[in-house]
Amino acid sequence: MGAFNRDLAAWGRFLAVAGAYAACYELTRNVSFSHWMLPAGLRLACLFLVPRRYWLALAVGETLPIAEMAAVHASAFGVLWAVIVSFPPIALMMPAVAWMRKHVGLFREDGQIHMGMIMVATMVCAVINGIANGAALANVSMGDGSEAPAVTIPLFLAWFLGAYLGALTLTPMILALRERLALQPGGVVTLKAVWHSSLTRDALFIAMPTLVLLMVAASQLDGTALQCVRMAMALPVVVLTLRHGWHGSAVGGMLASIAMASTSFELRDPAMIQAQVVLAFAITTSLLFGVRVARRLAASHPLVAHAGSHHHG
């Protein structure tokens, strides 16, 4: 009977993980568009943080919403397309991330996060995402007999960038939150702790007002002026990085990505893609540089680094 109960508990956990992932996937997919695919960030963060024994549950959780969407559109785009699309992209990324987790690890010897590895994983997963999308599109047979859209380089780049920026928006943020949680006494975040965090204040009073002003400006402008405003959205990322290390890059990057996504008025707009390349580059370099800043901040505030350990003593 004990074994049966254990199995039941294991199945319960499996279903809970699959269900939670499916719900989060739906949530991120509903606020995404071709230029900005948030599920890519959810996928990567889960592959980094969820124990390997639950990976199958993640794949099942991702298959459910995708297969449902594929079934709805199968008559329009063909059965072969529906079958290919139903294969969960997270399963394609598992071998690469598993290899990196085993051979490189999420953290370095000094306990600092291995940001280089995270950036490589983000890039690899964005490439896999682009290839998977291409494979699906190449096998579309239109229900109305019209010509299926061709897989082109600009289209692949839009997919790649969308997944890359989507991952940069969510993954570092989730990792930063996890690291901050670990520093809280008892691993509990209180409103007071959030409010007293200088990063929260800088995000609220420096980054957000700047980005809101830029968004308002963007809604009134077009052409070169609009591009300049979009490029300027990378500035708060740099400011928060210099003040708070890679946690600042993660928060600033997420806010800047959301702000830039809100200025997209048409699908696959080439100007938007240019601006996103600049933002993706700014966030990537900020995250890599931010690890150094974080190390320097930790060295100049040794008390902060050890505060967590004293609370328990």
Side-chain angles (χ1 to χ4, degrees), residues 16-27 42 57-58 60-65:
V17 172
Y21 183 84
C24 293
Y25 182 87
E26 272 295 296
L27 191 71
L42 178 70
L58 295 178
V60 171
E62 189 166 277
T63 308
L64 297 172

Side-chain angles (χ1 to χ4, degrees), residues 44 68 82 86 90 97 132 134 139 151 155 158 168 178 186 193 241 270 292 299:
L44 205 53
E68 182 194 17
S86 298
I90 195 166
V97 178
N139 287 289
V151 181
L155 195 52
L168 286 185
R178 179 173 172 270
T241 301
R292 285 189 184 168

Side-chain angles (χ1 to χ4, degrees), residues 25 33-34 36-41 43 62 66 87-90 92-93 121-137 155-167:
Y25 182 87
F33 52 96
S34 64
W36 193 56
M37 294 303 297
L38 290 180
R43 238 175 241 141
E62 189 166 277
I66 300 180
F87 191 80
I90 195 166
L92 298 172
M93 292 158 195
T122 306
M123 217 157 243
V124 168
C125 288
V127 170
I128 293 171
N129 186 68
I131 293 169
N133 282 352
L137 185 60
L155 195 52
F156 180 84
L157 282 177
W159 285 329
F160 169 81
L161 251 183
Y164 188 67
L165 255 184

Side-chain angles (χ1 to χ4, degrees), residues 188-245:
V188 179
V189 171
T190 58
L191 259 177
K192 193 175 142 200
V194 172
W195 185 244
H196 281 293
S197 145
S198 54
L199 176 52
T200 305
R201 287 203 294 264
D202 284 356
L204 280 176
F205 302 123
I206 297 177
M208 283 169 91
T210 311
L211 290 167
V212 167
L213 278 174
L214 290 169
M215 280 158 66
V216 171
S219 66
Q220 307 299 320
L221 299 167
D222 53 17
T224 312
L226 173 59
Q227 279 304 78
C228 292
V229 167
R230 280 175 177 161
M231 307 278 185
M233 288 177 172
L235 290 173
V237 185
V238 178
V239 173
L240 289 186
T241 301
L242 293 173
R243 291 174 61 90
H244 303 282

Side-chain angles (χ1 to χ4, degrees), residues 27-43 129 133 157-171 250-264 266-269 272-273 276 279-280 283:
L27 191 71
T28 52
R29 194 176 68 177
N30 284 330
V31 291
S32 297
F33 52 96
S34 64
H35 284 251
W36 193 56
M37 294 303 297
L38 290 180
L42 178 70
R43 238 175 241 141
N129 186 68
N133 282 352
L157 282 177
W159 285 329
F160 169 81
L161 251 183
Y164 188 67
L165 255 184
L168 286 185
T169 305
L170 271 190
T171 309
V251 174
M254 182 183 78
L255 295 173
S257 294
I258 293 169
M260 188 175 284
S262 75
T263 68
S264 175
E266 52 181 292
L267 220 56
R268 305 209 177 87
D269 162 16
M272 182 67 177
I273 290 180
Q276 283 186 299
L279 184 61
I283 298 175

Side-chain angles (χ1 to χ4, degrees), residues 10 99 275:
W99 189 91

